[in-house]
């Protein structure tokens, strides 16, 4: 097989180019090389000595030793006939720009559009003169950005850098902003296990669960089209600011299509993939022209992909369950990290951020309430964890005028005398906190628990009872009484008796008047509207004659006797006199229903985990209360199209990435100051 030779007989180690495959450009080559002569039937080669310097894509890289062979531009034409040495003198007048052949050969052919994604960096060294160099371009069928297609080349034999000598010269910087002869700083190495082509996906290799070392914060590799400086040479920013970028679900096959072919020579490339949770990277290497690059799906700070951390934060901050999210991801084969990574993120970053934000918001709320003078608060106990086992108990203090949670105390039963003392201890801590912050309590509305009554009486705090608590307890007893055969009439009177509880409390302020109105219920059920009590001698409504006497209780009947014994009980009368006539604790009921979303009782969380989830529920509830207050004060005819994004989640994300992730030790120390009792064995 004869060796390839230039058609003009040039000798030496040269780059040879065959006739192009595109018919129009091929005919231009033939017409220019052979004029009116018939071209030979054998394959024709033309060496690089018969082309101008601007006919090549990678002339600068080839001269610097970074490319093994020269690559022609699309549409490049040879310009020198015969021997090169003989044509040197006539080279200048023979030089014809590419546009001349384009205009003469095809008048209707427009200038080809050049994609910015096909521009590559060139090193230009100027010695003795001031030189500017315009990088070569070509059109390629790709949608990759300019920085993504930046060329990274390697040397097969050695690792060499281009020396730069500046001797009385002015060297212009290339479009990529790379200083000639200045080696860019290395990007921090990401520790992960790479997955070879054709292998099954492996589990991510994130940091071990036992590791408590915080990763140093450094700028991740994130291509930025607005910056002319390469990612490796940019100084590391102190704050990762990419958490607000939009995210998308991308299929792996679509990603691989971007790296299968070399954007320089168009040949097949070697592609390797690595994964760590939601993070994936692709390494591309062209065996022909040594083009290489590495693409990463998300910024990496230290060894922590920001997408993994933000996904953990989104699950935690919204009260979600990682196990449920993991099931959804596994169902659609969406890659996700393991539960150990989620717990490590929570312990190192998320819980310190939640604790800090709640303490800060709590101080702002107390300062605002301090200007209003004395406040009316409501208190409610909730048993947490594993179905009312009494292991943990939380007590909530709420400002009743604004329906805002002021404080939440979490108590473990082992830290007090027993589970029956959890409520009084939590209430004591909450009132002490209000006192330390110079917030005076006008009165408090709670349930009718005996220990709480005694404690507030000893502390000299005005105490009222929640009407709903009395109504629910009384309704249970009435339903039990209505099951007997002789008391079936009680079932018909249940709604009226429940309404009478609210009417007796809310229409009177003094305790004797509340009791007098409550006693009038016994006369109502007998169709008697005059009373023996001087404070309430007669009913305000007109007396109506009933046509159905069977719906009234008959005097001296068994049903009336049992009902009077229940309604006129000494304990019931005392509690009716202390019912709250102004504020009710219905907002506390709504808050406890919300807590079931953030901290469900059928899931076992650690002590700090329960506390942080209670704080999240309080921030969510206070934000909703403030939003409803703003809506009620604004009169508008426009309807609300969609529920706005929770503001507290956005603020937590900003705090996490701009403060906590930057210096986590300060916030972790703040969280560690919370006294955590020893863990109990599960019941």
């Amino acid at each position: 097989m004869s060796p390839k030779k230039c058609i003009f007989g040039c000798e030496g180690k040269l780059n040879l180019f065959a006739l192009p495959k595109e018919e129009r450009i091929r005919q231009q080559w033939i017409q220019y090389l052979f004029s009116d002569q018939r071209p030979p039937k054998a394959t024709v080669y033309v060496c690089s000595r018969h082309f101008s310097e601007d006919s090549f894509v990678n002339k600068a890289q080839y001269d610097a030793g970074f490319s093994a062979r020269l690559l022609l531009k699309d549409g490049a034409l040879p310009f020198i006939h015969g021997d090169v040495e003989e044509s040197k003198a006539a080279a200048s007048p023979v030089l014809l720009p590419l546009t001349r052949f384009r205009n003469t050969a095809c008048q209707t052919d427009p200038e080809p559009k050049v994609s910015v994604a096909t521009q590559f960096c060139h090193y230009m060294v100027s010695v003795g003169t001031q030189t500017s160099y315009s990088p070569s371009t070509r059109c390629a069928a790709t949608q990759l950005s300019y920085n993504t297609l930046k060329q990274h080349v390697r040397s097969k034999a050695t690792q060499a850098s281009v020396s730069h000598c500046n001797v009385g010269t002015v060297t212009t910087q290339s479009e990529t902003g790379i200083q000639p002869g200045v080696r860019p700083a290395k990007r921090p190495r990401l520790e992960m296990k790479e997955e070879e082509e054709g292998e099954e996906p492996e589990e991510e290799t994130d940091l071990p669960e036992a590791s408590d070392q915080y990763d140093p914060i450094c700028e991740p590799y994130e291509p930025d089209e607005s910056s002319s400086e390469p990612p490796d040479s940019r100084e590391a920013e102190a704050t990762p600011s990419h958490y607000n970028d939009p995210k998308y679900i991308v299929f792996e096959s679509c990603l691989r299509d971007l790296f299968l072919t070399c954007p320089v020579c168009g040949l097949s490339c070697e592609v390797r993939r690595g994964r760590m949770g939601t993070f994936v990277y692709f390494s591309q290497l062209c065996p022909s022209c040594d083009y290489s690059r590495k693409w990463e799906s998300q910024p990496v700070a230290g060894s922590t992909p920001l997408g993994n951390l933000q996904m953990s934060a989104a699950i935690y901050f919204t009260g979600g369950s990682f196990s449920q999210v993991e099931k959804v991801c596994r169902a659609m084969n969406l890659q996700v990290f393991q539960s150990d990574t989620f717990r490590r993120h929570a312990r190192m970053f998320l819980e310190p951020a939640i604790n800090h934000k709640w303490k800060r918001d709590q101080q702002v709320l107390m300062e605002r309430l301090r200007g209003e003078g004395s406040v009316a608060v409501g208190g409610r106990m909730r048993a947490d964890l594993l179905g009312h086992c009494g292991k943990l108990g939380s007590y909530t203090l709420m400002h009743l005028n604004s329906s805002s949670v002021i404080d939440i105390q979490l108590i473990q039963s082992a830290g007090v005398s027993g589970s029956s003392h959890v409520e009084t201890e939590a209430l004591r801590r909450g009132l002490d906190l209000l006192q330390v912050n110079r917030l005076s309590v006008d009165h408090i509305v709670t349930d009718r628990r005996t220990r709480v009554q005694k404690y507030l009486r000893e502390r000299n705090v005005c105490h009222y009872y929640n009407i709903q608590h009395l109504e629910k307890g009384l309704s249970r007893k009435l339903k039990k009484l209505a099951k007997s055969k002789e008391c079936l009439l009680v079932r018909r009177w249940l709604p009226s008796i429940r309404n009478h509880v609210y009417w007796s409390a809310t229409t009177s302020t003094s305790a004797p008047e509340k009791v007098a109105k409550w006693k009038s219920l016994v006369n109502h059920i007998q169709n008697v509207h005059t009373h023996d009590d001087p404070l309430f001698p007669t009913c305000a409504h007109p007396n109506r004659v009933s046509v159905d006497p069977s719906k009234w209780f008959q005097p001296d009947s068994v049903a009336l006797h049992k009902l009077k014994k229940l309604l006129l009980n000494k304990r019931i009368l005392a509690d009716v006199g202390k019912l709250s006539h102004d504020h009710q604790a219905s907002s506390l009921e709504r808050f406890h229903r919300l807590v079931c979303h953030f901290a469900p009782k059928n899931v076992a969380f650690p002590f700090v985990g329960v506390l942080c989830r209670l704080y999240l529920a309080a921030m969510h509830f206070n934000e909703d209360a403030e939003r409803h207050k703003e809506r009620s004060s604004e009169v508008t005819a426009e309807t609300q199209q969609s529920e706005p994004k929770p503001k507290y989640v956005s603020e937590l994300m900003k705090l996490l990435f701009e403060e906590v992730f930057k210096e986590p030790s300060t916030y972790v120390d703040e969280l560690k100051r919370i006294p955590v009792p020893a863990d109990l064995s599960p019941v």
Side-chain angles (χ1 to χ4, degrees):
M1 183 177 179
S2 59
K4 300 178 181 178
K5 293 183 179 181
C6 177
I7 190 175
F8 298 114
C10 300
E11 297 181 354
K13 187 178 180 181
L14 303 171
N15 290 269
L16 298 178
F17 304 97
L19 294 178
K21 295 181 179 180
E22 186 179 349
E23 186 62 27
R24 183 177 63 84
I25 305 298
R26 183 185 182 90
Q27 293 300 327
Q28 290 183 12
W29 277 47
I30 294 174
Q31 181 181 1
Y32 191 70
L33 294 175
F34 303 103
S35 299
D36 297 333
Q37 300 177 9
R38 172 178 288 185
K41 296 182 179 180
T43 305
V44 176
Y45 295 97
V46 182
C47 70
S48 57
R49 300 174 65 179
H50 299 277
F51 293 87
S52 61
E53 291 188 356
D54 58 355
S55 300
F56 304 103
V57 174
N58 59 338
K59 186 65 167 62
Q61 290 93 327
Y62 180 80
D63 293 341
F66 288 102
S67 293
R69 58 173 288 116
L70 290 170
L71 301 174
L72 280 176
K73 291 182 181 178
D74 294 341
L77 299 176
F79 73 95
I80 299 177
H81 288 282
D83 185 70
V84 179
E85 298 296 333
E86 298 177 358
S87 305
K88 278 186 176 180
S92 297
V94 178
L95 283 174
L96 296 175
L98 183 62
T99 53
R100 173 181 173 182
F101 293 102
R102 184 176 293 112
N103 294 334
T104 57
C106 184
Q107 297 290 340
T108 59
D109 184 28
E111 286 285 336
K113 295 183 179 179
V114 180
S115 173
V116 71
T118 62
Q119 299 183 13
F120 302 100
C121 59
H122 295 267
Y123 291 97
M124 190 63 196
V125 181
S126 174
V127 181
T129 59
Q130 179 176 355
T131 308
S132 63
Y133 187 78
S134 177
S136 303
T137 59
R138 72 184 181 95
C139 184
T142 177
Q143 293 182 352
L144 298 182
S145 64
Y146 165 69
N147 279 26
T148 307
L149 284 176
K150 278 183 179 176
Q151 187 178 14
H152 302 275
V153 295
R154 69 168 187 170
S155 175
K156 290 184 177 180
T158 61
Q159 292 182 355
S161 59
V162 181
S163 61
H164 172 67
C165 180
N166 188 357
V167 183
T169 64
V170 179
T171 304
T172 58
Q173 190 173 348
S174 61
E175 287 189 10
T176 58
I178 300 178
Q179 295 284 351
V182 179
R183 186 174 182 179
K186 287 185 177 181
R187 183 170 66 253
R189 185 169 63 93
L190 182 65
E191 298 291 345
M192 67 176 62
K193 191 169 185 179
E194 297 180 351
E195 298 173 2
E196 300 292 344
E197 180 74 20
E199 296 182 356
E200 292 295 327
E202 300 176 1
E203 293 297 331
E204 81 285 339
T205 56
D206 208 336
L207 294 180
E209 170 64 22
S211 175
D212 291 330
Q213 299 297 325
Y214 301 115
D215 302 324
I217 305 304
C218 59
E219 175 67 14
Y221 171 49
E222 178 70 6
D224 184 6
E225 294 185 6
S226 62
S227 174
S228 62
E229 188 176 356
D232 291 347
S233 63
R234 288 183 297 189
E235 294 185 359
E237 299 178 2
T239 301
S241 58
H242 305 86
Y243 62 94
N244 280 328
D245 290 352
K247 289 85 178 174
Y248 306 93
I249 295 179
V250 183
F251 284 53
E252 182 177 325
S253 59
C254 297
L255 286 178
R256 285 187 178 274
D257 289 343
L258 304 178
F259 308 101
L260 293 178
T261 57
C262 177
V264 177
C265 64
L267 300 179
S268 298
C269 294
E270 298 175 1
V271 182
R272 298 178 65 188
R273 177 182 72 96
R275 183 181 71 85
M276 186 163 61
T278 63
F279 170 83
V280 66
Y281 78 88
F282 285 89
S283 296
Q284 182 182 11
L285 174 63
C286 179
S288 176
C289 65
D290 294 330
Y291 171 85
S292 65
R293 64 187 168 111
K294 183 177 180 180
W295 179 87
E296 298 175 351
S297 64
Q298 56 188 254
V300 180
S303 59
T304 303
L306 298 187
N308 288 350
L309 179 60
Q310 189 169 14
M311 186 172 186
S312 296
I315 295 173
Y316 204 124
F317 293 163
T318 57
S321 169
F322 176 78
S323 60
Q324 295 297 327
V325 174
E326 186 180 24
K327 291 178 182 178
V328 175
C329 294
R330 300 300 184 197
M332 63 179 300
N333 200 22
L334 181 64
Q335 304 304 303
V336 70
F337 44 85
Q338 297 176 350
S339 58
D340 292 345
T341 303
F342 175 79
R343 289 194 295 267
R344 181 173 57 84
H345 288 164
R347 183 179 66 253
M348 297 173 61
F349 305 111
L350 307 184
E351 291 173 348
I354 295 171
N355 176 71
H356 179 78
K357 185 179 188 308
W358 166 249
K359 297 298 182 184
R360 186 176 60 188
D361 292 352
Q362 189 181 37
Q363 289 299 319
V364 172
L365 177 60
M366 288 187 176
E367 290 178 3
R368 179 172 60 84
L369 296 179
R370 196 180 302 129
E372 299 179 3
S374 57
V375 295
V377 298
R380 185 73 184 272
M381 172 74 182
R382 178 183 184 269
D384 296 287
L385 280 183
L386 299 181
H388 304 278
C389 66
K391 178 179 176 180
L392 291 176
S394 62
Y395 198 87
T396 306
L397 285 179
M398 178 178 289
H399 183 238
L400 296 178
N401 285 330
S402 62
S403 297
S404 300
V405 178
I406 303 176
D407 183 57
I408 298 178
Q409 295 292 333
L410 184 63
I411 304 294
Q412 186 171 276
S413 59
V416 294
S417 302
S419 58
S420 59
H421 297 271
V422 171
E423 184 172 6
T424 54
E425 176 63 20
L427 177 59
R428 181 191 66 79
R429 295 183 185 183
L431 293 177
D432 289 346
L433 180 64
L434 298 184
Q435 187 176 359
V436 169
N437 287 273
R438 305 188 306 277
L439 201 62
S440 60
V441 177
D442 180 72
H443 65 271
I444 184 171
V445 179
T446 69
D447 296 339
R448 300 177 302 135
R449 302 188 184 277
T450 306
R451 293 184 184 274
V452 175
Q453 297 178 30
K454 180 181 178 181
Y455 172 75
L456 292 176
R457 187 166 56 250
E458 293 173 353
R459 191 156 178 160
N460 197 23
V461 177
C462 183
H463 186 203
Y464 290 110
Y465 298 152
N466 185 15
I467 295 180
Q468 290 183 348
H469 190 261
L470 175 64
E471 183 266 327
K472 288 181 179 179
L474 190 61
S475 294
R476 286 195 298 268
K477 296 179 180 180
L478 290 173
K479 290 178 181 179
K480 184 178 180 180
L481 180 63
K483 291 180 181 180
S484 60
K485 186 176 181 179
E486 61 272 10
C487 299
L488 295 178
L489 187 58
V490 176
R491 185 174 302 174
R492 298 180 59 183
W493 281 87
L494 279 176
S496 299
I497 295 175
R498 286 198 294 262
N499 292 335
H500 195 79
V501 176
Y502 291 94
W503 176 77
S504 301
T506 55
T507 58
S508 304
T509 56
S510 63
E513 188 174 353
K514 294 176 185 177
V515 174
K517 290 185 176 181
W518 175 253
K519 288 181 178 180
S520 68
L521 176 62
V522 178
N523 292 333
H524 276 78
I525 60 179
Q526 302 178 80
N527 201 17
V528 177
H529 305 286
T530 57
H531 318 292
D532 298 334
D533 197 299
L535 296 176
F536 191 61
T538 59
C539 292
H541 62 81
N543 189 9
R544 295 186 180 89
V545 179
S546 176
V547 296
D548 185 12
S550 62
K551 68 179 182 179
W552 306 103
F553 284 87
Q554 300 301 319
D556 301 329
S557 62
V558 176
L560 180 61
H561 174 73
K562 292 184 178 181
L563 185 60
K564 288 175 63 176
K565 183 179 179 180
L566 178 61
L567 297 178
L568 302 180
N569 182 273
K570 182 184 291 187
R571 172 74 184 278
I572 294 294
L573 293 178
D575 292 346
V576 168
K578 298 189 68 175
L579 291 177
S580 175
H581 56 276
D582 191 6
H583 300 96
Q584 305 303 323
S586 57
S587 298
L588 281 169
E589 294 281 351
R590 291 189 290 106
F591 173 68
H592 282 179
R593 288 195 294 268
L594 178 64
V595 170
C596 292
H597 166 71
F598 285 88
K601 294 184 179 182
N602 60 345
V603 181
F605 297 103
F607 183 89
V608 176
V610 176
L611 185 62
C612 289
R613 289 177 179 272
L614 291 174
Y615 289 165
L616 287 172
M619 287 186 278
H620 184 98
F621 187 85
N622 289 350
E623 183 176 321
D624 282 346
E626 187 67 24
R627 188 183 298 118
H628 289 311
K629 183 178 179 180
E630 293 176 356
R631 288 178 183 176
S632 60
S633 61
E634 297 178 359
V635 180
T636 177
E638 297 181 359
T639 58
Q640 187 71 19
Q641 297 295 333
S642 60
E643 193 69 18
K645 180 181 179 180
K647 183 180 177 182
Y648 78 96
V649 175
S650 301
E651 293 176 351
L652 279 171
M653 287 289 186
K654 183 178 180 180
L655 174 65
L656 171 64
F657 286 98
E658 298 185 4
E659 298 183 30
V660 179
F661 194 59
K662 178 180 178 181
E663 187 60 40
S665 58
T666 304
Y667 301 90
V668 172
D669 293 340
E670 182 183 358
L671 182 64
K672 288 181 177 180
R673 287 196 288 268
I674 299 176
V676 179
D679 193 17
L680 295 176
S681 59
V683 178

